[in-house]
Amino acid sequence: MERKVFRDYLIFTVPHVTVFVGMLFGILLLIGINVNLALGIFTLIYGLMLLIIGLTVYHHFSKLASYRLFILSSFLLFLVGIFLLLKA
């Protein structure tokens, strides 16, 4: 039951974050920011926002393996953003 609730939670929250950060990425490209720098900013903010979404419901879903996988992937996305920013 909790797995379905977590799935529904992600279905209703992740697309909003994706659209927002995608819009930010597009704006960065339109104003002429270097593509690697824009990708680093996009990845960093996307990973951070997904991590915040995941940590918001920690007490409800912390026992689920899918929740742990979501947190791990969000954190890895955040780290890749930092790496891209340092490389750019």
Side-chain angles (χ1 to χ4, degrees), residues 40-58:
I41 293 170
F42 167 80
T43 309
L44 179 76
I45 293 175
Y46 192 47
L48 179 65
M49 291 183 80
L50 290 179
L51 201 57
I52 290 169
I53 283 175
L55 292 176
T56 302
V57 293
Y58 171 77

Side-chain angles (χ1 to χ4, degrees), residues 9-55:
Y9 174 73
L10 291 180
I11 286 172
F12 287 111
T13 56
V14 171
H16 292 88
V17 171
T18 305
V19 168
F20 174 73
V21 179
M23 177 201 59
L24 178 65
F25 179 67
I27 290 172
L28 289 173
L29 290 179
L30 283 175
I31 62 174
I33 301 287
N34 182 8
V35 175
N36 290 334
L37 182 61
L39 278 174
I41 293 170
F42 167 80
T43 309
L44 179 76
I45 293 175
Y46 192 47
L48 179 65
M49 291 183 80
L50 290 179
L51 201 57
I52 290 169
I53 283 175
L55 292 176

